[in-house]
Amino acid sequence: MAMSMGYYGDTAMKKISGGGVGGRYDVPEGVDVRGRYEEEFAKILTKDALIFVAALQREFRNHVKYAMECRKEAKMRYNSGGLPGFDPATKNVRDGDWMCAEVPPAVADRRVEITGPVERKMIINALNSGAKVFMADFEDALSPTWENLMKGQVNLKDAVNGTISFQDKARNRVYKLNDQIAKLFVRPRGWHLPESHIFIDGEPAIGCLVDFGLYFHHNHAAFRKTQGEGYGPFFYLPKMENSREARIWNNVFERAEKMVGIEKGSIRATVLIETLPAVFQMDEILYELRDHSVGLNCGRWDYIFSYVKTFQAHPDRLLPDRVLVGMGQHFMRSYSDLLIRTCHRRGVHAMGGMAAQIPIRDDPEANAAALELVKKDKLREVRAGHDGTWAAHPGLIPAIMEVFTNNMNNSPNLIETMKREDAASLTEEDLLQIPRGVRTIEGLRLNTRVGIQYVAAWLTGTGSVPLYNLMEDAATAEISRVQNWQWLKYGVELDGDGVGVRVSHELFGKVVEEEMARIEREVGRERFKKGMYKEACKLFTRQCTTPVLDDFLTLNAYNHIVVHHPGGSSKL
Ligand SMILES: CC(=O)SCCNC(=O)CCNC(=O)[C@H](O)C(C)(C)COP(=O)(O)OP(=O)(O)OC[C@H]1O[C@@H](n2cnc3c(N)ncnc32)[C@H](O)[C@@H]1OP(=O)(O)O
Ligand SMILES: O=CC(=O)O
Ligand SMILES: [Mg+2]
């Protein structure tokens, strides 16, 4: 590894007596690891790796704090009746003729990307799945327990080295990588999430800098050699609201490249456009990352969540039932069309999003219907001009691959052929148009049933789950939470199924009670007792009824999964 010695220099030289032996991490000055010690975690939390993460934290923490303050200011504006829109101050960026750096050959073809948590068996299955890309997730699909995060880093290191294997003893099956595997992208957490098992200079580390820093430090050299054809590593960046947040990522990338002595522009990232404010910042985000970008992605589930959150104080913009807010709604279609036009104009990929359907094993008819819905969604995406899309499950890949391949004219992508100049005329009104549809008591029940079960899974370390034949993760659960909150706050009338009741605290209390009874029946008494359903119910109910909406479900729930190891490793 070509390493800038000046950077790793002095601090790395200071040794802690007894560090790294007897169950303690060998930490540099100012760093305190409070998570459980394990030998294999210590191979990730090396002193050099922690120096690297601490350097990023020290350089960028004030920028991140400022960006989070700006989010609060924007929220206040929206809560006082303001609407998000295009920023007149950056019109020159939107109108300018600049381009992003050329797409690296290794990832020119991204027609199907599988996503999944950084769990060992799933990583192997995903890399072997036949998809072009695998997005390994520290975010929506992962509950960020210390064990999950550290094991995830161990797994990714083994995957990049090509040595990853997994033995399923019960099924007498050994999992190994095929010769041909998907290209690996890694999605760190969002800017808002702390990593409370690692303290730097007395405050919790910034979660995404831990995810990025540890993965980059350990894997950049091997990745560029074996996967990236000289480029990489590759990333997905979630939940940004403004281009100033993209500028921080760009600066992090440049700093990281410099620190290890690799060319500027080696790291590449796709940004998820999954907040309502960000749809008005797509050019600006690409501009900030223009040396490091490989496109944008329609993170549709968080986008719907963000619509509710942004308009939490706008009772005239209430959503219909969650199941009715699909890509067919005008504001969603406009967002996808504008994203395609923006990306192709700047020479990068416009990625589609996730259909929530997954294979239904025990019901062939329902399975065929679910597959049809996925195919229809993917056909809409490729016809609109998306260069690729997401799959939640390996069983969906052949069908999705076929839809994209049949509609891409033998090209690896549609960047040059689907310019979508027609989307240039889309207006702020198009992007904000209120979704149409009814609200029902069944919508309230489903939100509650799904929300509680998701939180119960998350609290026990599982971040993506199958519920009622759909994939549920942090983003989809957020919709359930904020929709319940919104309906309760405004006492909306649920009249879509002819019942005609108003949502009140009494009604919600009754719904929670009945849905908890239903969950117990469905999962069985034993599992219900052993699981964390009651804790989840308490947490979810509080989040739905709190007078001031929590910014994120997972931020509020995070304290429940932080476990500090009594004999932590500290050099404070
Ligand atoms: C809004 C967003 O951010 S979307 C992106 C984030 N969300 C995700 O990434 C969700 C990814 N998908 C999943 O986690 C899973 O598919 C779930 C939880 C939805 C369903 O999981 P399961 O019920 O375990 O699926 P199922 O039992 O059908 O799995 C069958 C096999 O496929 C594998 N599998 C299922 N999904 C995936 C995946 N996404 N990646 C790799 N392997 C997978 C399973 O490991 C299992 O392997 P095995 O046969 O070798 O044991
Ligand atoms: O991250 C993806 C989303 O849809 O949210
Ligand atoms: Mg998301």
Side-chain angles (χ1 to χ4, degrees):
M1 175 174 76
M3 174 190 295
S4 144
M5 288 316 292
Y7 167 67
Y8 282 90
D10 296 344
T11 336
M13 295 301 125
K14 288 178 192 151
K15 287 266 178 282
I16 297 170
S17 56
V21 288
R24 294 187 62 208
Y25 296 105
D26 183 6
V27 294
E29 211 63 60
V31 175
D32 181 10
V33 177
R34 300 186 182 174
R36 191 175 70 79
Y37 179 87
E38 198 169 299
E39 231 171 88
E40 63 170 357
F41 298 173
K43 291 185 193 142
I44 296 297
L45 296 165
T46 60
K47 195 167 186 176
D48 275 352
L50 289 169
I51 288 170
F52 185 81
V53 171
L56 294 178
Q57 166 103 4
R58 286 174 183 139
E59 186 160 344
F60 295 106
R61 60 190 164 202
N62 288 339
H63 299 267
V64 177
K65 277 181 194 154
Y66 176 70
M68 296 304 101
E69 282 307 310
C70 292
R71 281 192 189 179
K72 278 190 204 150
E73 273 173 31
K75 180 167 87 172
M76 273 161 56
R77 274 200 311 280
Y78 307 141
N79 284 356
S80 319
L83 302 178
F86 294 107
D87 183 354
T90 48
K91 187 171 180 321
N92 59 331
V93 176
R94 290 192 297 283
D95 292 348
D97 269 342
W98 53 273
M99 298 289 287
C100 290
E102 257 181 55
V103 168
V107 283
D109 184 347
R110 301 169 65 182
R111 68 190 72 186
V112 183
E113 302 189 335
I114 189 166
T115 69
V118 285
E119 195 249 309
R120 201 164 179 86
K121 184 179 78 171
M122 279 176 101
I123 289 176
I124 303 173
N125 280 340
L127 288 170
N128 287 343
S129 67
K132 301 287 179 188
V133 164
F134 164 45
M135 188 203 75
D137 203 6
F138 284 101
E139 216 246 338
D140 285 336
L142 191 84
S143 165
T145 62
W146 179 243
E147 310 295 312
N148 282 349
L149 294 168
M150 289 304 114
K151 283 186 181 151
Q153 292 284 351
V154 171
N155 297 338
L156 291 181
K157 189 161 178 256
D158 292 346
V160 173
N161 286 334
T163 56
I164 191 167
S165 66
F166 174 77
Q167 190 175 14
D168 184 339
K169 287 195 180 118
R171 288 154 79 191
N172 193 24
R173 189 173 161 193
V174 177
Y175 292 74
K176 285 202 165 105
L177 292 181
N178 295 341
D179 293 337
Q180 281 280 334
I181 57 167
K183 292 280 185 291
L184 182 64
F185 277 58
V186 170
R187 178 162 73 171
R189 283 168 279 180
W191 283 123
H192 58 286
L193 288 169
E195 177 41 64
S196 296
H197 298 94
I198 300 180
F199 276 62
I200 298 173
D201 303 333
E203 53 181 33
I206 297 165
C208 60
L209 293 183
V210 172
D211 303 337
F212 165 80
L214 294 177
Y215 172 71
F216 177 83
H217 173 85
H218 287 292
N219 300 294
H220 66 88
F223 185 92
R224 283 154 50 81
K225 220 188 276 169
T226 60
Q227 283 232 351
E229 298 166 32
Y231 287 89
F234 302 132
F235 295 93
Y236 256 104
L237 303 176
K239 292 191 178 50
M240 285 196 263
E241 296 190 7
N242 187 283
S243 60
R244 79 173 61 81
E245 301 172 26
R247 188 181 319 144
I248 306 175
W249 269 120
N250 194 65
N251 291 340
V252 168
F253 292 164
E254 284 190 4
R255 193 77 188 99
E257 287 164 344
K258 207 163 166 190
M259 283 196 278
V260 302
I262 60 176
E263 251 173 73
K264 177 170 154 179
S266 299
I267 299 173
R268 293 303 178 100
T270 299
V271 171
L272 287 134
I273 299 300
E274 54 180 355
T275 66
L276 195 61
V279 83
F280 301 101
Q281 291 268 314
M282 293 195 290
D283 271 310
E284 289 85 338
I285 288 171
L286 284 180
Y287 185 75
E288 292 297 345
L289 280 158
R290 62 195 177 282
D291 295 325
H292 292 104
S293 176
V294 268
L296 303 175
N297 171 299
C298 278
R300 61 172 77 164
W301 300 103
D302 267 314
Y303 194 71
I304 299 168
F305 155 51
S306 177
Y307 189 97
V308 181
K309 192 161 86 166
T310 306
F311 290 133
Q312 59 184 276
H314 297 233
D316 54 331
R317 288 181 181 273
L318 300 176
L319 287 195
D321 279 2
R322 189 188 123 166
V323 292
L324 300 176
V325 191
M327 295 308 295
Q329 294 278 2
H330 185 77
F331 83 113
M332 296 296 279
R333 208 171 43 238
S334 305
Y335 139 71
S336 147
D337 290 346
L338 188 59
L339 183 142
I340 295 164
R341 191 245 174 190
T342 309
C343 290
H344 289 182
R345 188 162 163 236
R346 307 304 181 186
V348 287
H349 292 102
M351 303 302 296
M354 184 65 91
Q357 293 78 15
I358 47 177
I360 305 169
R361 252 182 261 131
D362 50 3
D363 185 343
E365 221 170 285
N367 189 47
L371 196 60
E372 269 319 299
L373 286 176
V374 174
K375 288 205 270 192
K376 202 169 147 207
D377 180 59
K378 301 305 160 191
L379 190 60
R380 180 198 54 76
E381 286 186 328
V382 69
R383 284 190 176 155
H386 279 295
D387 301 284
T389 191
W390 277 9
H393 191 287
L396 300 171
I397 289 175
I400 300 178
M401 190 69 85
E402 194 182 322
V403 172
F404 265 78
T405 304
N406 288 347
N407 289 278
M408 288 177 75
N409 292 325
N410 296 322
S411 302
N413 56 60
L414 303 174
I415 297 172
E416 292 305 326
T417 52
M418 288 287 272
K419 290 297 183 187
R420 290 302 310 268
E421 280 309 323
D422 58 308
S425 60
L426 286 167
T427 61
E428 291 174 349
E429 286 72 28
D430 289 311
L431 294 160
L432 298 179
Q433 195 188 84
I434 304 165
R436 290 160 215 261
V438 294
R439 290 178 274 277
T440 66
I441 182 87
E442 183 42 33
L444 181 70
R445 287 189 179 285
L446 189 63
N447 282 342
T448 306
R449 195 155 74 236
V450 164
I452 292 172
Q453 289 182 86
Y454 179 76
V455 175
W458 193 90
L459 290 173
T460 47
T462 301
S464 56
V465 280
L467 286 175
Y468 309 107
N469 301 326
L470 296 177
M471 184 267 324
E472 297 287 344
D473 69 4
T476 62
E478 284 284 29
I479 305 172
S480 296
R481 169 183 75 99
V482 291
Q483 180 155 75
N484 276 8
W485 181 89
Q486 190 185 44
W487 288 359
L488 264 160
K489 179 165 172 75
Y490 297 110
V492 302
E493 190 169 8
L494 304 177
D495 52 6
D497 40 16
V499 178
V501 286
R502 276 202 181 277
V503 182
S504 62
H505 284 261
E506 291 68 41
L507 177 74
F508 182 56
K510 194 162 170 286
V511 164
V512 168
E513 210 175 286
E514 288 171 7
E515 293 307 317
M516 278 294 275
R518 176 166 170 179
I519 294 169
E520 182 170 7
R521 276 198 308 279
E522 285 177 355
V523 304
R525 188 167 288 178
E526 258 329 276
R527 210 177 119 201
F528 188 82
K529 233 173 34 199
K530 283 197 195 126
M532 291 194 73
Y533 295 94
K534 288 196 174 134
E535 293 81 349
C537 178
K538 201 166 150 202
L539 218 147
F540 184 76
T541 306
R542 192 205 65 73
Q543 292 194 340
C544 295
T545 53
T546 179
V548 180
L549 182 67
D550 290 337
D551 285 340
F552 292 98
L553 183 164
T554 49
L555 188 55
N556 176 258
Y558 182 57
N559 282 342
H560 294 259
I561 59 167
V562 173
V563 183
H564 284 169
H565 183 61
S569 311
S570 165
K571 184 95 199 291
L572 292 175

Short mmCIF file of all heavy atoms in Angstrom, two decimals, residues 22 34 81 87 96 105 119 133 137 159 218 230 287 302 344 393 411 422 441 446 455 482 487-488 495-496 502 509:
data_model
loop_
_atom_site.label_atom_id
_atom_site.label_comp_id
_atom_site.label_asym_id
_atom_site.label_seq_id
_atom_site.Cartn_x
_atom_site.Cartn_y
_atom_site.Cartn_z
N GLY A 22 -4.70 -9.37 26.03
CA GLY A 22 -5.56 -9.52 27.19
C GLY A 22 -6.93 -8.89 27.00
O GLY A 22 -7.53 -8.37 27.93
N ARG A 34 -15.48 1.29 23.16
CA ARG A 34 -16.30 0.79 24.28
C ARG A 34 -17.08 -0.45 23.91
O ARG A 34 -17.85 -0.98 24.70
CB ARG A 34 -17.25 1.88 24.74
CG ARG A 34 -16.50 3.12 25.21
CD ARG A 34 -17.40 4.17 25.82
NE ARG A 34 -16.59 5.33 26.20
CZ ARG A 34 -17.08 6.47 26.65
NH1 ARG A 34 -18.39 6.60 26.81
NH2 ARG A 34 -16.29 7.46 26.97
N GLY A 81 -44.34 26.62 7.06
CA GLY A 81 -45.15 26.76 5.84
C GLY A 81 -44.33 26.80 4.55
O GLY A 81 -44.90 26.78 3.46
N ASP A 87 -32.86 26.07 -5.74
CA ASP A 87 -32.19 27.19 -5.09
C ASP A 87 -31.73 28.19 -6.16
O ASP A 87 -30.89 27.84 -7.00
CB ASP A 87 -30.98 26.63 -4.31
CG ASP A 87 -30.24 27.69 -3.53
OD1 ASP A 87 -30.59 28.88 -3.67
OD2 ASP A 87 -29.32 27.32 -2.77
N GLY A 96 -25.19 25.02 -16.09
CA GLY A 96 -23.84 24.87 -16.65
C GLY A 96 -23.66 23.60 -17.47
O GLY A 96 -24.44 22.65 -17.37
N PRO A 105 -14.76 1.53 -16.35
CA PRO A 105 -15.21 0.37 -17.14
C PRO A 105 -15.77 -0.76 -16.28
O PRO A 105 -16.72 -1.43 -16.67
CB PRO A 105 -13.94 -0.10 -17.86
CG PRO A 105 -13.00 1.06 -17.80
CD PRO A 105 -13.38 1.92 -16.66
N GLU A 119 -24.18 -9.39 6.17
CA GLU A 119 -24.21 -10.67 6.89
C GLU A 119 -23.47 -11.71 6.04
O GLU A 119 -23.57 -11.68 4.80
CB GLU A 119 -25.68 -11.04 7.11
CG GLU A 119 -25.93 -12.11 8.11
CD GLU A 119 -26.43 -13.37 7.45
OE1 GLU A 119 -27.39 -13.29 6.66
OE2 GLU A 119 -25.82 -14.43 7.69
N VAL A 133 -23.98 -5.93 -9.67
CA VAL A 133 -23.45 -5.23 -8.50
C VAL A 133 -24.12 -5.79 -7.25
O VAL A 133 -25.29 -6.18 -7.29
CB VAL A 133 -23.74 -3.70 -8.62
CG1 VAL A 133 -23.57 -2.97 -7.29
CG2 VAL A 133 -22.86 -3.04 -9.69
N ASP A 137 -24.85 -3.49 2.76
CA ASP A 137 -25.55 -2.41 3.45
C ASP A 137 -25.25 -2.32 4.95
O ASP A 137 -25.53 -3.24 5.71
CB ASP A 137 -27.06 -2.60 3.26
CG ASP A 137 -27.82 -1.30 3.43
OD1 ASP A 137 -27.17 -0.25 3.59
OD2 ASP A 137 -29.06 -1.34 3.39
N ALA A 159 -14.41 -10.91 1.92
CA ALA A 159 -15.00 -10.93 0.57
C ALA A 159 -14.07 -10.28 -0.44
O ALA A 159 -13.83 -10.82 -1.52
CB ALA A 159 -16.36 -10.22 0.57
N HIS A 218 -8.95 -0.92 5.09
CA HIS A 218 -8.54 -2.32 4.96
C HIS A 218 -8.61 -2.86 3.53
O HIS A 218 -7.96 -3.85 3.24
CB HIS A 218 -9.40 -3.21 5.87
CG HIS A 218 -9.06 -3.05 7.32
ND1 HIS A 218 -7.87 -3.45 7.86
CD2 HIS A 218 -9.76 -2.50 8.34
CE1 HIS A 218 -7.83 -3.17 9.14
NE2 HIS A 218 -8.98 -2.59 9.47
N GLY A 230 -8.50 -0.98 -11.23
CA GLY A 230 -7.75 0.26 -10.99
C GLY A 230 -8.56 1.34 -10.30
O GLY A 230 -8.00 2.34 -9.85
N TYR A 287 -22.46 17.82 -8.99
CA TYR A 287 -21.37 18.77 -9.21
C TYR A 287 -20.32 18.65 -8.10
O TYR A 287 -19.12 18.59 -8.37
CB TYR A 287 -21.93 20.20 -9.27
CG TYR A 287 -20.87 21.21 -9.62
CD1 TYR A 287 -20.39 21.31 -10.93
CD2 TYR A 287 -20.34 22.04 -8.64
CE1 TYR A 287 -19.39 22.23 -11.25
CE2 TYR A 287 -19.34 22.95 -8.97
CZ TYR A 287 -18.87 23.04 -10.27
OH TYR A 287 -17.88 23.94 -10.59
N ASP A 302 -37.33 5.74 1.28
CA ASP A 302 -36.99 6.88 2.13
C ASP A 302 -37.56 8.17 1.56
O ASP A 302 -37.85 9.12 2.30
CB ASP A 302 -35.47 7.01 2.26
CG ASP A 302 -34.95 6.28 3.49
OD1 ASP A 302 -35.56 6.44 4.56
OD2 ASP A 302 -33.97 5.54 3.37
N HIS A 344 -28.03 11.57 -16.97
CA HIS A 344 -27.55 11.33 -18.33
C HIS A 344 -26.93 12.58 -18.93
O HIS A 344 -25.99 12.51 -19.71
CB HIS A 344 -28.69 10.77 -19.19
CG HIS A 344 -29.03 9.35 -18.79
ND1 HIS A 344 -29.98 8.60 -19.41
CD2 HIS A 344 -28.53 8.56 -17.81
CE1 HIS A 344 -30.05 7.40 -18.84
NE2 HIS A 344 -29.18 7.37 -17.85
N HIS A 393 -33.84 -9.72 -3.58
CA HIS A 393 -33.75 -11.16 -3.33
C HIS A 393 -33.17 -11.84 -4.58
O HIS A 393 -33.56 -11.47 -5.71
CB HIS A 393 -35.17 -11.68 -3.04
CG HIS A 393 -35.23 -13.06 -2.51
ND1 HIS A 393 -34.98 -14.17 -3.30
CD2 HIS A 393 -35.53 -13.55 -1.28
CE1 HIS A 393 -35.12 -15.27 -2.56
NE2 HIS A 393 -35.45 -14.91 -1.32
N SER A 411 -26.71 -2.41 -25.06
CA SER A 411 -25.76 -1.45 -24.47
C SER A 411 -25.59 -1.78 -22.99
O SER A 411 -26.52 -2.27 -22.37
CB SER A 411 -26.31 -0.04 -24.52
OG SER A 411 -26.58 0.33 -25.78
N ASP A 422 -37.18 15.86 -22.34
CA ASP A 422 -38.56 16.25 -22.03
C ASP A 422 -38.74 16.54 -20.53
O ASP A 422 -39.55 17.37 -20.13
CB ASP A 422 -39.53 15.14 -22.47
CG ASP A 422 -39.20 13.81 -21.79
OD1 ASP A 422 -38.03 13.37 -21.85
OD2 ASP A 422 -40.11 13.22 -21.18
N ILE A 441 -58.81 2.41 7.71
CA ILE A 441 -58.44 1.85 9.02
C ILE A 441 -57.47 0.68 8.82
O ILE A 441 -56.56 0.47 9.62
CB ILE A 441 -59.71 1.44 9.81
CG1 ILE A 441 -59.36 0.90 11.22
CG2 ILE A 441 -60.52 0.39 9.10
CD1 ILE A 441 -59.26 1.97 12.24
N LEU A 446 -52.19 -1.85 9.31
CA LEU A 446 -51.01 -2.43 8.66
C LEU A 446 -49.74 -1.68 9.08
O LEU A 446 -48.72 -2.29 9.41
CB LEU A 446 -51.18 -2.38 7.14
CG LEU A 446 -50.13 -3.15 6.34
CD1 LEU A 446 -50.17 -4.65 6.64
CD2 LEU A 446 -50.31 -2.93 4.84
N VAL A 455 -39.58 -3.05 14.30
CA VAL A 455 -38.77 -2.56 15.42
C VAL A 455 -38.34 -3.73 16.32
O VAL A 455 -37.19 -3.77 16.79
CB VAL A 455 -39.54 -1.48 16.23
CG1 VAL A 455 -38.75 -1.07 17.47
CG2 VAL A 455 -39.81 -0.24 15.36
N VAL A 482 -44.19 7.48 10.40
CA VAL A 482 -44.56 8.90 10.23
C VAL A 482 -45.98 9.05 9.73
O VAL A 482 -46.65 10.05 10.02
CB VAL A 482 -43.55 9.66 9.32
CG1 VAL A 482 -42.21 9.80 10.02
CG2 VAL A 482 -43.40 9.03 7.95
N TRP A 487 -51.34 11.07 10.79
CA TRP A 487 -52.79 10.85 10.86
C TRP A 487 -53.33 11.17 12.26
O TRP A 487 -54.42 11.70 12.43
CB TRP A 487 -53.13 9.41 10.48
CG TRP A 487 -52.97 9.12 9.01
CD1 TRP A 487 -52.58 10.00 8.04
CD2 TRP A 487 -53.20 7.88 8.35
NE1 TRP A 487 -52.55 9.36 6.82
CE2 TRP A 487 -52.92 8.07 6.98
CE3 TRP A 487 -53.59 6.61 8.78
CZ2 TRP A 487 -53.05 7.04 6.03
CZ3 TRP A 487 -53.72 5.58 7.85
CH2 TRP A 487 -53.45 5.81 6.49
N LEU A 488 -52.49 10.79 13.27
CA LEU A 488 -52.90 11.08 14.65
C LEU A 488 -52.88 12.57 14.92
O LEU A 488 -53.82 13.13 15.51
CB LEU A 488 -51.92 10.40 15.62
CG LEU A 488 -52.35 9.05 16.16
CD1 LEU A 488 -51.15 8.28 16.68
CD2 LEU A 488 -53.36 9.23 17.30
N ASP A 495 -61.83 7.14 5.66
CA ASP A 495 -63.14 6.87 5.06
C ASP A 495 -63.02 6.03 3.80
O ASP A 495 -64.02 5.77 3.12
CB ASP A 495 -63.88 8.18 4.76
CG ASP A 495 -63.01 9.13 3.95
OD1 ASP A 495 -61.91 8.73 3.55
OD2 ASP A 495 -63.44 10.28 3.74
N GLY A 496 -61.80 5.61 3.47
CA GLY A 496 -61.58 4.90 2.21
C GLY A 496 -62.32 3.58 2.14
O GLY A 496 -62.65 3.10 1.05
N ARG A 502 -62.48 8.87 12.74
CA ARG A 502 -61.35 9.80 12.86
C ARG A 502 -60.25 9.15 13.68
O ARG A 502 -60.52 8.47 14.67
CB ARG A 502 -61.80 11.08 13.58
CG ARG A 502 -62.43 12.03 12.63
CD ARG A 502 -62.44 13.48 13.07
NE ARG A 502 -63.11 14.24 12.02
CZ ARG A 502 -62.52 14.67 10.91
NH1 ARG A 502 -61.24 14.46 10.71
NH2 ARG A 502 -63.20 15.32 9.99
N GLY A 509 -54.91 3.54 20.32
CA GLY A 509 -54.66 2.63 21.44
C GLY A 509 -55.34 1.28 21.22
O GLY A 509 -54.76 0.22 21.45
#
